[in-house]
Amino acid sequence: MENPYLPYPVRIDDIEVATEDKSLKTFTFVFVNPEDEEKFAYKAGQFAELSIPGVGEIPIGIASSPVEKGFVKFTVFRTGVVTTHLHNMKKGDLMGIRGPLGNWYPWDKLENKNVVIIGGGFAFTTLRSSIVYMLDPANRKKFKNIDVVYGARSPGMLLYREELFDWEKRDDINMHITVDGTDDPDWKYHTGFVPQVVEDNAPVADEDTYAIVCGPPIMIKFTQPALTKLGYQPHQIIMSLENRMKCGIGMCGRCNIGKELVCKDGPVFTLEEINQTPKEY
Amino acid sequence: MNFITIDKKDWAPGVDQSRKTYRVYGPVEDKNGCQIKPLAPDMQPKMDAPVTVMSAKSVLFPQTEKILTATLDESKEDHHVMKPVETDDMPRVVLGIRPYDAKAVHLVKLNFDNPDYKDPYWCAAYDATTFVGLGVTRPGPCDFSTAVGSGPFSEEGLDVLMADMDDKYLAKILTEKGEKWAAACGFATAADPKESQVLFDVLKKEAEKQIQADVNTDKLAQKTILDLYDAPFWDEVAFSCINCGTCTYVCPTCWCFDIQDETRHNTAVRFRNWDTCMSSLFTHHASGHNPRGTKVQRVRQRFMHKLKYFLDKYDQGIMCVGCGRCVASCPVNIDIREVCNRMNDYETTK
């Protein structure tokens, strides 16, 4: 019997400080046993449990993309016991990864559609996975227009800066980068909160357009009406939720929203589905 | 289906004989009241015990259970590599389990053994366990098992159902596991199947007559989750709750757990422990956000999970077997029977 609690052993291959306040680091892991990498076949939008023996586990969205091979990346915010311990670890250290867990963005349904990616803060990690997946030469033709609205508190808090500015230069993706505020006179992108930037810049919906939203609960709450104003129907708004999780496999009973378990039935739901559940997220 | 009789003077020797094959669990009296526990070699189950304070759920789902371990000694090649703790596959028998507790195992199984994931620890324990039930001839005042798809002589989840016939037990063997247990005890006195079934039916009818609870669940399925969630009575239901979590710990169908790591010297151990949705930490995010930060939200969660979410998710009735432990144990007299009726009778004015 497969043991779903058993993490795959991994080694930290690289650690990159992701933001200027050093609260976010991007960890690159390689699997100790190459066959485990095959078993860890994931799709953009899924998450995993990062597991530090003796310390604990935390659920984190996968930041790398299925089209990137040989490693797996996670961007982790230092906020609790496990994340603080992880932030103090070094290259070469051993730990575990359990997963992949949860569902993913509905890639089959999104084919031949316009996709608008909306993210705020460090929840942008699974969206990076999605963008890299869609921009991969083997996949780009499967999607029509791609728009990205991504907001951070300040320019120094933007994640994946080099990639962001590379994507900006491409003509097959429309980037709308924003920060809540900045004193930087050279800042040439948007200033303001994500919902307003969405309302002002995201494409008006037709039946071929879907929005993927991932961010803190407050951002999700205010982005929904902005999308509704642009004509998006509840089934066209796809969200990734975050509830506190432990087991990640739907057994510990912690992360439910109504009868749905965020870790197993989610974390990806359409607004149409969410509208049928209590507002417990 | 076969019936046997077990003379009570043969009971203890039979139980002792079965210890060669089985680890034996049963009701015992201790300072905390009657509990289902593993029986030491010199102990016999207290078969005439009243309702046990705790259910038998800990036989398959211990309050604290080691699940993984790793060495942190960096001189070892496999340091920081977690390994499963061996599952306990030794056959065990639970004697004197009440039928509603056996039905609860069936409901909990839906969580731990589902098409997507199998919990190896729970499943190994389940496969190794034989449930020998004892029909309830004198249901307690909180027992409302008949109202929720179980009952004093329900057979669901049992391998053997016994009836106390004063100087003997009449036992209905329900499964192959039950047959093996009877053989291991040397219990082989066949009883007439027709007569025995008639006796069981009479006892069942008499026991069911004694249950007076008027608990209705018939309209719960037709209601929507959001209507019940937004019903106006939750503040009133939750008013006296002190979030002690007793209701969840004594419940045979509550399965929520936490996972925690501990270290001792160079050994790391990952445990799982019972947890409770009555605790505000249960859903508290590291960010500080808490979707169920208030008492009323948590009380509503417990009742909605048991009486509506479970019903909608599995289509197997409600997540309650009517044992009445939560009613009897609640220090502030919150009564699931009243809450169930309120939910069942609630009509939205929308």
Side-chain angles (χ1 to χ4, degrees), chain A residues 5 51 244 246 254 280, chain B residues 119 258 270 275 281 292:
Chain A
Y5 299 101
S51 177
R244 184 164 185 191
K246 269 291 161 90
R254 189 174 302 272
E280 290 192 336
Chain B
D119 182 291
D258 191 16
R270 186 157 291 167
D275 205 345
L281 293 177
R292 290 201 289 271

Side-chain angles (χ1 to χ4, degrees), chain A residues 88-242:
Chain A
N88 292 333
M89 288 172 75
K90 58 188 190 305
K91 191 176 165 180
D93 283 349
L94 283 167
M95 50 181 283
I97 293 179
R98 187 157 68 84
L101 301 170
N103 66 356
W104 49 86
Y105 298 120
W107 296 113
D108 292 346
K109 196 165 93 178
L110 294 171
E111 283 190 14
N112 301 313
K113 303 285 190 294
N114 304 310
V115 182
V116 186
I117 300 262
I118 301 163
F122 69 96
F124 194 57
T125 52
T126 60
L127 299 180
R128 180 211 175 258
S129 177
S130 306
I131 295 165
V132 172
Y133 170 74
M134 288 192 292
L135 292 181
D136 186 71
N139 295 329
R140 182 62 190 91
K141 281 183 192 154
K142 294 179 191 169
F143 305 96
K144 287 157 72 176
N145 297 335
I146 301 173
D147 281 73
V148 174
V149 180
Y150 167 42
R153 285 207 308 272
S154 62
M157 293 302 287
L158 286 167
L159 289 171
Y160 320 122
R161 295 171 65 88
E162 283 181 23
E163 281 175 310
L164 285 181
F165 300 129
D166 282 348
W167 295 335
E168 246 248 315
K169 288 176 201 148
R170 294 174 65 136
D171 57 6
D172 59 350
I173 179 169
N174 305 312
M175 298 295 295
H176 311 282
I177 300 167
T178 186
V179 292
D180 295 352
T182 178
D183 298 332
D184 181 357
D186 297 331
W187 178 250
K188 56 181 182 178
Y189 305 102
H190 298 280
T191 306
F193 295 121
V194 166
Q196 191 60 51
V197 178
V198 167
E199 198 174 323
D200 295 343
N201 297 278
V204 171
D206 59 21
E207 61 185 22
D208 274 351
T209 305
Y210 284 79
I212 292 177
V213 186
C214 190
I218 191 78
M219 190 211 85
I220 290 182
K221 185 180 168 188
F222 287 105
T223 300
Q224 283 169 23
L227 287 169
T228 305
K229 269 189 197 171
L230 294 171
Y232 290 79
Q233 300 300 308
H235 73 276
Q236 292 171 290
I237 302 175
I238 299 158
M239 301 189 299
S240 186
L241 300 184
E242 295 170 7

